[in-house]
Amino acid sequence: MKLEIAPGVVLWRGRIGRTAQEALLREVLCRVERAPFYRPTMPKSGAPFSVEETNFGSLGWVSDSNGYRYQPNHPVTRAPWPDIPPMLLALWTATTGYCAPPECCLVNLYRGTARMGLHQDRDEVATDAPVLSVSLGDEAQFRIGGSTRKGPSQSIMLSSGDVIAFGGPARLAFHGIERIRPGTSTLVPGGGRINLTLRRVRPPAASKKDARPGG
Ligand code: MD6
Ligand code: FE
């Protein structure tokens, strides 16, 4: 079921069925063996995140004392990130219709009381591309507001297999995960929730996006 929950925010409830969730999780976990979850830290305070993270794709999003940025290598192993699972590339094309593939798949692992504070996804240059997010495992309470930190917001429950996109007027909306509900899914070994967030970081080559003679 496709719902537009706010201008530019599209939610596909149950977009990925259980069997496909299991297949996707296998694709994720085999890449996590090569690119293990690690715990990022906040740029100013140095405080550890409550979520653990890794990435797939040519660019991974990282946070440490030097700030937020995209980089081609895992900060602990220094190896290039694994490729983005083909199932996710197909989902990106089918749902966003964007003219170029995502370059980053950020993987967030929530266990127990892990949460994610209100934030904007704004470290990308290509903000014309939507951000696409897939939920696997335990349910999570997701809060979404507008493009300022204050002002009205709504809270929605995200379940395993749900897919949400932020684009257009919502591309810079503040959002976060208030809490997960441990034990509400049997999908993730050891329990918890995995979120996969797909992003285009750099604008596609001008020739692809705006191919005009002489332009
Ligand atoms: C999460 N999601 O669901 C965190 N960002 O665990 C995000 O931060 C997010 O769901 C941009 C667009 C959609 C998202
Ligand atoms: Fe985000």
Side-chain angles (χ1 to χ4, degrees):
M1 184 174 44
K2 178 178 173 178
L3 305 163
E4 185 154 9
I5 61 172
V9 184
V10 181
L11 171 62
W12 291 266
R13 286 239 183 256
R15 170 82 200 207
I16 306 173
R18 176 75 190 201
T19 304
Q21 290 171 37
E22 290 169 359
L24 176 57
L25 185 65
R26 282 194 297 273
E27 295 291 311
V28 168
L29 295 179
C30 78
R31 286 166 175 79
V32 165
E33 288 181 21
R34 278 181 284 147
F37 284 111
Y38 69 97
R39 198 174 292 280
T41 54
M42 295 294 291
K44 284 178 190 159
S45 64
F49 283 28
S50 61
V51 296
E52 293 171 78
E53 296 189 333
T54 188
N55 289 272
F56 309 142
S58 55
L59 291 171
W61 184 89
V62 300
S63 174
D64 61 20
S65 55
N66 295 318
Y68 300 145
R69 66 190 175 279
Y70 282 95
Q71 66 179 42
N73 302 87
H74 191 290
V76 179
T77 69
R78 298 283 156 198
W81 305 105
D83 66 325
I84 298 176
M87 285 177 67
L88 290 175
L89 297 177
L91 180 71
W92 169 271
T93 301
T95 54
T96 71
Y98 191 68
C99 61
E103 295 165 295
C104 174
C105 176
L106 172 64
V107 188
N108 293 302
L109 172 65
Y110 297 76
R111 288 209 148 115
T113 57
R115 53 185 290 282
M116 188 174 293
L118 274 189
H119 67 277
Q120 293 170 295
D121 286 28
R122 56 166 206 192
D123 300 314
E124 303 75 33
V125 184
T127 47
D128 63 318
V131 179
L132 189 71
S133 157
V134 176
S135 293
L136 293 176
D138 285 338
E139 293 172 355
Q141 201 71 45
F142 184 74
R143 183 162 291 279
I144 168 149
S147 49
T148 58
R149 194 174 279 280
K150 292 180 181 171
S153 64
Q154 56 178 317
S155 181
I156 58 169
M157 187 71 80
L158 293 178
S159 302
S160 198
D162 289 352
V163 174
I164 189 165
F166 287 17
R171 178 62 183 77
L172 295 176
F174 276 89
H175 59 279
I177 295 287
E178 298 179 310
R179 62 186 182 93
I180 69 161
R181 297 174 72 192
T184 50
S185 165
T186 57
L187 188 74
V188 175
R193 172 174 184 265
I194 290 177
N195 165 254
L196 304 160
T197 302
L198 297 161
R199 307 191 188 108
R200 181 76 197 182
V201 179
R202 299 168 300 199
S207 58
K208 276 191 197 167
K209 203 178 126 188
D210 192 14
R212 279 176 311 196

